[in-house]
Amino acid sequence: MLRNIKNRLVLQPFSLFLSITTFISLVSGCSVSGTYIYHNVDNFYYEKFCRDGRYIEKYVGMYSRPEYVYGYWKRSGDTVIVDIISPQVKYSFDSLAHIEEKFIENTDKTCFKVQFPDTTFGFEVIINDKKVYNSNSDSLCIPHQSIKKFLIRDFFVWTAYNIKDTTNNFFSISFTSYGYVSNMDTLVDPITKFLKKGRSLYPLHPYNSEPYYFQFKKVFYDNRKYYKNSGFCNEKKQ
């Protein structure tokens, strides 16, 4: 009997600790705020979601890209959305294409003439978010139809375009480069949406919202000074 009492006394603190740890784990798993980490062989990403809605990313690695990214976050269901305010954000399709549209008489076709840095793979046109056409050269003519907008892309770049005059039937699209180059002042194609699952955040592609193959894992405790040194995500406000 004395042995049972001793065993209970020994187990009680452990059970209490286990209960508290489990509770904290469940609560932190539901909450977005905290620090999330993803790393591979050459790069480390530290994502800090502050309780006051501020967001900061610290990057350590081999790429030429901003060391810190600042912004604000909000949650919508199981999705976490980040609004980046610094540095400057660019997307690969921004201002890459110069587009001219005009009307050609005596034709029952709608035509696209495309100048890519590389036309080896041809290109694809999506009309009004529905119909898809493919070309294996630098030009494409399709049956005449009312077009309000189109998306055109090849293997490397793409752009979306809202047509100014829906009566026009010829479009000349010229791409001057493959895309923007990330540096210390510009962030290219950033991740601004995450899918929240348990204690992990799954980044979503900025173009089609499809999840990437990797995940950011939430850490139970983070004593790094990256965020304090930045002066943006104030630990005292949390």
Side-chain angles (χ1 to χ4, degrees):
M1 182 174 179
L2 290 174
R3 181 178 298 177
N4 291 336
I5 294 175
K6 288 181 179 179
N7 290 338
R8 289 179 183 177
L9 291 175
V10 171
L11 289 174
Q12 280 182 354
F14 176 76
S15 299
L16 179 61
F17 171 78
L18 183 62
S19 299
I20 293 174
T21 304
T22 303
F23 175 76
I24 293 175
S25 178
L26 289 173
V27 171
S28 63
C30 295
S31 174
V32 173
S33 60
T35 303
Y36 298 78
I37 297 177
Y38 166 72
H39 67 89
N40 52 32
V41 177
D42 302 307
N43 305 283
F44 284 79
Y45 296 86
Y46 304 90
E47 312 288 319
K48 179 71 171 181
F49 293 83
C50 304
R51 292 181 182 175
D52 63 0
R54 300 184 187 217
Y55 163 85
I56 179 171
E57 176 189 85
K58 163 69 177 180
Y59 170 74
V60 180
M62 62 179 292
Y63 296 137
S64 176
R65 56 156 290 159
E67 180 182 7
Y68 286 100
V69 175
Y70 305 100
Y72 297 92
W73 68 271
K74 63 180 180 179
R75 182 170 185 172
S76 177
D78 58 359
T79 303
V80 180
I81 303 170
V82 175
D83 178 23
I84 296 174
I85 61 173
S86 177
Q88 185 180 27
V89 172
K90 291 288 187 181
Y91 291 93
S92 295
F93 58 86
D94 282 345
S95 303
L96 289 178
H98 174 70
I99 301 176
E100 293 183 358
E101 57 179 88
K102 61 183 178 180
F103 177 75
I104 297 180
E105 297 181 351
N106 301 322
T107 180
D108 59 351
K109 303 288 185 179
T110 296
C111 295
F112 300 86
K113 178 70 174 178
V114 183
Q115 179 183 344
F116 285 111
D118 186 352
T119 58
T120 302
F121 301 97
F123 65 92
E124 178 182 73
V125 177
I126 302 176
I127 306 297
N128 299 331
D129 295 328
K130 296 179 180 179
K131 297 181 179 180
V132 181
Y133 298 91
N134 291 278
S135 172
N136 57 8
S137 66
D138 62 353
S139 62
L140 173 69
C141 287
I142 61 177
H144 178 69
Q145 52 196 282
S146 177
I147 302 176
K148 295 181 179 179
K149 59 181 177 179
F150 64 81
L151 183 149
I152 190 165
R153 61 190 177 192
D154 75 344
F155 192 77
F156 299 100
V157 296
W158 69 282
T159 190
Y161 182 71
N162 292 320
I163 295 175
K164 298 175 183 177
D165 186 347
T166 56
T167 63
N168 287 331
N169 57 9
F170 183 86
F171 304 92
S172 175
I173 303 100
S174 175
F175 287 86
T176 57
S177 67
Y178 283 117
Y180 289 97
V181 177
S182 182
N183 54 46
M184 300 306 292
D185 300 316
T186 304
L187 186 64
V188 179
D189 296 336
I191 295 170
T192 57
K193 290 184 179 181
F194 301 83
L195 185 64
K196 181 76 166 66
K197 287 186 177 182
R199 292 176 54 82
S200 297
L201 290 178
Y202 293 80
L204 303 178
H205 196 284
Y207 298 151
N208 55 24
S209 294
E210 292 292 329
Y212 283 102
Y213 65 91
F214 61 92
Q215 61 181 295
F216 289 85
K217 295 183 178 181
K218 191 174 188 178
V219 296
F220 183 75
Y221 176 71
D222 180 27
N223 62 353
R224 295 177 180 84
K225 296 181 179 181
Y226 295 148
Y227 320 108
K228 295 179 181 179
N229 292 345
S230 74
F232 182 76
C233 201
N234 194 333
E235 295 285 353
K236 294 181 180 181
K237 292 183 179 181
Q238 295 189 33

